[in-house]
Amino acid sequence: MAPGLVWLMALTCGLVVANIYYNQPLLAEIGRTFGLSESRASLVATITQVGYTLGLLLVVPLGDKRERKSLTLGLLLCSAVCMAGAAIAPSFALLAAASLLIGLFSAVPQLLIPMAASLASDEQRGQVVGKVMSGLLIGVLLSRTVSGYVGAHFGWRTMYWVGAGLMVLLTAVLARRLPHNQTQFVGSYGSLLRSLGTLVRELPVLRRSALVGACMFGGFSAFWTTLVFFLESPAYRYGAEVAGLFGLIGASGAFAASFAGKSADRKGADYALNLGILLFLGAYVLLGFGGTYLIGLIAGVVVLDVGQQMTHISNQTRIFSLRPEARSRLNTVYMTACFIGASAGSFLGGLAWDHFQWPGVCAVGLGLVILAYLANRFYGRPGSAVA
C-alpha cells in the first residue's frame, strides 16, 4: 500500500471516531440548553455508544458483502446528515435520536481497518493495521480537547456543524483516493449475520483473541473509569481537568500501535501479544505500588497504554489472517467482545473503588490481565482441554 493511502485511512478513522466523543465535554451545555439534569443530559453520550455498538453488530458485517468503498462513502454522508440534525435539534428527544444514528453510522473505522488489512501484503499487514489504528486512537484522544474548546467559545451546536462539514470533506477526498475493494460473500443479509456464530464455532483462534481482548479492554477500562476519583482523592486532590491531561499522556499508546504492527510482522502476532500482556501486567504492578507518587502514576499510564495497544493490534493482525474473505465479520466478533469487556471492566473498577479504593482497582486490573494471559496460553490451543 502507498504510504499516503495508509495515512489517509488513519486520518479518516480518527475524524470519524471523534463523532462519538465530541458530545462528552458538551453535556453540561446541552443540559442547560434543554433544561435537563446532569444525569439526563449524560444520556446523549450513552445513546451514542449504544448506536456505535449497534453499528458494530449490524453495519460492520456488511463490509464482507458490499463493496467497501461505496459502503464507506454512504456511511460518511449519513453521518454528515445526522451531525447536522443534531446541530439543529429543537428538542432533547430529537438530539437523542440523532445521537443514536451518529453512533450507528460512525462504524466506518471498523470497516476501514479490515479493508486496510485486505489491501496490504502479508509482510506488511501488521504495520499497516497499526498505522491505521494509531489514527483512530489519536481521534479518540483529541476529540474531547477540540470539542471542549469549540463548545466553550462557540457553543455546542457549532461542534456538530464542524463535524458534519468534516464528514462531507472526507467523502469528497475518499471518493477520489480510496480504491475499490470487492468482497466475496454472496448470501443474504440474514445469512451474513448468522455466519458470525459459525465463525465463532469454527475458529478457536478467534475465540481466544476475543477472550483476550475482552480481558485486556476490561483492565484498561477499569483504570480510566476510576482515575478521576483517584486524582480527586486525598492522595492528589486534583480536579477533573488534570484527568484530561492524563489522556494526553496516554497518547503514547497511539505511537505504540505502529511498533506493535511491525513486531507482529517480524516476529509473529503471538510474540507481540505476549509482550503487550507483560507490559500491561508491569503497568498495574507499578500503579499498585507507585501510583500514589505522580511520577509513578505517569509512568504507569504510559506503560499501560503501550501494553494495551500492542495486545490489541496483535490480536487484530492474528484474526485478519484467519479468513481473508470474512475480515469484517471477524472484526465484528472481536470488537463486540472488547466492548463487552470494557463495560464489565468499568463496572468492576467502580465497584472496587467503592469498597477498596485504589488497591482494589489495581487488583481488578491484575486479575483481568492474568486471565488474559491464561486464555492466550491455554484456551483453544491444540491438545488443550479447554476448547
Side-chain angles (χ1 to χ4, degrees), residues 148-209:
Y149 178 84
V150 172
H153 290 83
F154 306 101
W156 65 268
R157 294 184 187 273
T158 302
M159 189 65 247
Y160 280 102
W161 282 120
V162 171
L166 288 172
M167 294 304 98
V168 172
L169 180 61
L170 271 180
T171 303
V173 173
L174 292 178
R176 294 174 58 88
R177 296 292 306 279
L178 195 66
H180 289 280
N181 190 227
Q182 295 294 339
T183 55
Q184 301 178 27
F185 189 89
V186 294
S188 66
Y189 179 65
S191 63
L192 181 75
L193 295 183
R194 287 193 295 273
S195 69
L196 295 174
T198 302
L199 291 171
V200 172
R201 287 194 303 272
E202 295 180 353
L203 300 173
V205 175
L206 176 61
R207 297 198 300 273
R208 182 166 68 248
S209 297

Side-chain angles (χ1 to χ4, degrees), residues 151-365:
H153 290 83
F154 306 101
W156 65 268
R157 294 184 187 273
T158 302
M159 189 65 247
Y160 280 102
W161 282 120
V162 171
L166 288 172
M167 294 304 98
V168 172
L169 180 61
L170 271 180
T171 303
V173 173
L174 292 178
R176 294 174 58 88
R177 296 292 306 279
L178 195 66
H180 289 280
N181 190 227
Q182 295 294 339
T183 55
Q184 301 178 27
F185 189 89
V186 294
S188 66
Y189 179 65
S191 63
L192 181 75
L193 295 183
R194 287 193 295 273
S195 69
L196 295 174
T198 302
L199 291 171
V200 172
R201 287 194 303 272
E202 295 180 353
L203 300 173
V205 175
L206 176 61
R207 297 198 300 273
R208 182 166 68 248
S209 297
L211 185 56
V212 171
C215 291
M216 295 299 288
F217 267 78
F220 191 69
S221 184
F223 170 80
W224 285 105
T225 299
T226 57
L227 176 61
V228 66
F229 305 141
F230 185 45
L231 291 174
E232 290 178 346
S233 72
Y236 285 101
R237 300 189 187 279
Y238 290 147
E241 306 84 45
V242 176
L245 293 177
F246 270 87
L248 294 175
I249 296 170
S252 54
F255 300 104
S258 181
F259 171 75
K262 291 178 183 178
S263 298
D265 288 335
R266 294 173 182 171
K267 299 185 178 182
D270 272 343
Y271 169 83
L273 194 148
N274 284 323
L275 180 57
I277 290 176
L278 181 62
L279 288 170
F280 202 93
L281 178 65
Y284 260 114
V285 171
L286 182 59
L287 291 167
F289 288 98
T292 53
Y293 302 96
L294 186 59
I295 186 65
L297 187 62
I298 291 172
V301 169
V302 172
V303 178
L304 188 76
D305 274 49
V306 172
Q308 167 66 11
Q309 295 315 316
M310 288 200 72
T311 57
H312 182 50
I313 300 303
S314 302
N315 261 331
Q316 287 193 308
T317 302
R318 183 163 66 178
I319 65 171
F320 288 152
S321 66
L322 296 175
R323 292 192 182 173
E325 76 281 1
R327 284 185 175 125
S328 290
R329 283 168 288 163
L330 294 170
N331 199 39
T332 291
V333 173
Y334 172 70
M335 288 304 301
T336 300
C338 289
F339 265 72
I340 292 172
S343 300
S346 292
F347 173 76
L348 291 174
L351 200 63
W353 175 264
D354 285 342
H355 290 85
F356 305 104
Q357 301 291 291
W358 190 242
V361 173
C362 293
V364 167

Side-chain angles (χ1 to χ4, degrees), residues 1-2 6 116 119-130 261 265:
M1 288 180 67
V6 175
L119 293 172
S121 65
D122 291 341
E123 295 76 17
Q124 66 168 178
R125 181 165 296 120
Q127 184 177 354
V128 168
V129 170
D265 288 335

